[in-house]
Structures are given as structure tokens and as C-alpha cells.
Amino acid sequence: MDLPKEVALYIIDNHTIEEASAKFSKSVSSIKKYLAKVRDQNNPNYEPILAEKLRLAQAKIQLAGVKKGGTISKRTRSISLEDARKYANIYMRGYSYEQLEDLTGIPKSTLQENIRNIPDLDLQIKLDEYTRNKGEIWKR
């Protein structure tokens, strides 16, 4: 079996280019060149099924990397309910969402979304009244 086909089969078997580089003792750029040969329709040894399997395997590996990146990102997905209540009270004491953003380092859109999603009808009514009254002050 020729080396480009072996490399392609290794990648299809759920391995990365870096892993293939170590296994075959070749540079990453050499591994990429071998994979390009497998995909090349003008190559006399071109196999469309192998090329498609390789494409799908690499797409799967890339998707797993994107998913992993999302799970280890620095920003938390949401604010705790306790913190959201605390920020709502600070907001109703006269802080704007921009000032809350500066104070907490949390984007104002995230703050607003989490404050508005607090499952407390009384608090939401108070927020609505405060926002309405705040708007009337600015209209003067």
C-alpha cells in the first residue's frame, strides 16, 4: 500500500494530522501533501470513496474541536440567579447597563438578558416600572 493511502486511512480512523505526523515520522506539511494527493482527481491512484471518507473524517475532527473550544471558553454561559437578582437591584438603584458592564466585566446584553429572565413576577414588574419611570425622566 502506498503512503498517501495509509495516511488517509489513519486519518479516517479518527486521528489528527499531528498524530499522523508522529506515527509516520513525517512533518505536518508532508502529511498534508499526502492527503492532498488522495483528494486530487488527476492523480492516477485517485479513489473517490476514499477521498469522500477522508473529507468526512476531517470535518468530524474539526467539529469536535469547535465543540471542545466552546466548552472550555473563558466566559460563563450565564449568570447565577443570585447574581442576576443582585445586578437587577443595582440597576434599579440608578446604574445603567453600561455602568454594570464596567463594574462586572459582563457584557451589557448578557446582563440584561439574565436580569430579564429572572423567574420572579414581582421583580419583573418592579423592573418594568423602574424602566418606564427612568424613560420618563429622560423625556423631560
Side-chain angles (χ1 to χ4, degrees):
M1 188 183 306
D2 62 311
L3 194 54
K5 189 172 181 178
E6 280 185 62
V7 170
L9 290 171
Y10 187 73
I11 297 292
I12 290 168
D13 197 30
N14 206 26
H15 293 89
T16 64
I17 290 175
E18 289 76 17
E19 291 170 339
S21 172
K23 177 174 174 39
F24 294 101
S25 301
K26 301 288 182 185
S27 69
V28 169
S29 63
S30 293
I31 297 297
K32 289 180 180 179
K33 287 176 187 171
Y34 291 138
L35 296 177
K37 286 181 182 179
V38 170
R39 288 189 204 98
D40 182 9
Q41 294 179 2
N42 297 325
N43 187 322
N45 298 326
Y46 173 73
E47 295 178 33
I49 294 172
L50 181 65
E52 181 61 15
K53 283 183 179 180
L54 177 62
R55 185 189 70 75
L56 291 172
Q58 288 191 297
K60 181 180 172 186
I61 291 168
Q62 183 181 14
L63 184 60
V66 168
K67 184 177 178 184
K68 182 179 179 184
T71 60
I72 62 172
S73 67
K74 293 180 182 178
R75 208 173 113 200
T76 57
R77 219 173 79 192
S78 65
I79 301 168
S80 72
L81 186 58
E82 180 182 317
D83 284 343
R85 286 181 185 279
K86 180 175 73 175
Y87 299 143
N89 288 321
I90 293 171
Y91 172 73
M92 288 189 293
R93 277 189 259 143
Y95 277 73
S96 67
Y97 284 114
E98 288 82 5
Q99 290 169 321
L100 271 172
E101 178 180 29
D102 293 340
L103 181 72
T104 63
I106 300 168
K108 64 182 180 182
S109 58
T110 303
L111 287 164
Q112 187 173 21
E113 179 183 335
N114 281 269
I115 289 170
R116 282 310 195 163
N117 286 329
I118 297 171
D120 180 342
L121 186 59
D122 292 336
L123 178 65
Q124 293 301 328
I125 290 169
K126 287 179 187 173
L127 280 166
D128 288 341
E129 289 172 1
Y130 175 77
T131 304
R132 248 190 315 269
N133 291 336
K134 189 175 179 181
E136 288 176 14
I137 293 168
W138 291 108
K139 288 179 186 174
R140 291 182 196 167

